[in-house]
Amino acid sequence: QVQLVESGGGLVQAGGSLRLSCAASGRTFSNYVMGWFRQAPGKEREFVATVNWSGGNTYYADSVKGRFTISRDNAKNTVYLQMNSLKPEDTAVYYCAARLGGSRTTRITGYDYWGQGTQVTVSS
């Protein structure tokens, strides 16, 4: 069992930045591929970014490429999402997810554990 707790969300103006954190507990963090997803009101949950166990391999949704950076610190059991140049369309609840083993994936069903989410609101 893995517990994931997100933090760092909030209200920011367009063009601003936020850094989300996801603290993991329960099992060996470095065994997990980690991902960030988001869900805007009235929309389905969508993939944002993923990182492999070492942090050396990342992949992003086209909508955030060049603006968001996913990283992890296995010594701190934490994964981060640095979000720059935020846009109103980035407004959503952001979720951290963990996948035991395997390769990175953008599929929601590919992840085994989920956090409770943190709200990000970008004002225009």
Side-chain angles (χ1 to χ4, degrees), residues 34-46:
M34 300 299 296
W36 286 97
F37 291 75
R38 66 186 182 186
Q39 188 166 16
K43 295 188 177 181
E44 294 185 351
R45 193 170 298 189
E46 64 176 6

Side-chain angles (χ1 to χ4, degrees), residues 38 47-49 58-69 84-85 87 90:
R38 66 186 182 186
F47 167 77
V48 174
T58 59
Y59 185 76
Y60 299 91
D62 287 343
S63 58
V64 306
K65 200 172 297 182
R67 300 188 297 122
F68 291 10
T69 302
N84 299 329
S85 302
K87 305 175 181 179
D90 293 319

Side-chain angles (χ1 to χ4, degrees), residues 100-115:
L100 178 59
S103 59
R104 67 183 189 193
T105 180
T106 64
R107 294 181 297 109
I108 292 173
T109 55
Y111 290 82
D112 303 296
Y113 302 99
W114 293 82

Side-chain angles (χ1 to χ4, degrees), residues 33-95:
V33 170
M34 300 299 296
W36 286 97
F37 291 75
R38 66 186 182 186
Q39 188 166 16
K43 295 188 177 181
E44 294 185 351
R45 193 170 298 189
E46 64 176 6
F47 167 77
V48 174
T50 183
V51 61
N52 74 330
W53 68 273
S54 69
N57 194 337
T58 59
Y59 185 76
Y60 299 91
D62 287 343
S63 58
V64 306
K65 200 172 297 182
R67 300 188 297 122
F68 291 10
T69 302
I70 188 171
S71 62
R72 66 190 296 162
D73 185 338
N74 288 341
K76 295 183 178 180
N77 288 359
T78 302
V79 63
Y80 304 97
L81 186 67
Q82 177 66 45
M83 305 186 295
N84 299 329
S85 302
L86 283 161
K87 305 175 181 179
E89 51 264 44
D90 293 319
T91 295
V93 177
Y94 283 71
Y95 297 90

